[in-house]
Amino acid sequence: MAREQSELPETHRTTTAEQGRFCLARCTCGWRGPSRRARSKARTDAEEHTARP
């Protein structure tokens, strides 16, 4: 039986990925942050994304 859209969990799981000299944040919802040279900035992007309602 298929789940209703409202029954699906709305949790966001973020990770960071390296692409050459850059790092970016990604989320299970499909969101993707901008490429950053600093890993800390990519992590901050991910934290800000998960903090949004």
Side-chain angles (χ1 to χ4, degrees), residues 12-26:
H12 292 263
R13 293 184 185 204
T14 56
T15 59
T16 56
E18 307 236 352
Q19 291 184 338
R21 295 181 179 185
F22 296 92
C23 186
L24 59 102
R26 293 182 181 163

Side-chain angles (χ1 to χ4, degrees), residues 3-4 10-11 16 20 25 28 34-36 45-47 51 53:
R3 287 185 175 184
E4 295 274 333
E10 293 187 19
T11 59
T16 56
T28 55
S35 296
R36 305 286 194 175
D45 292 339
E47 289 171 4

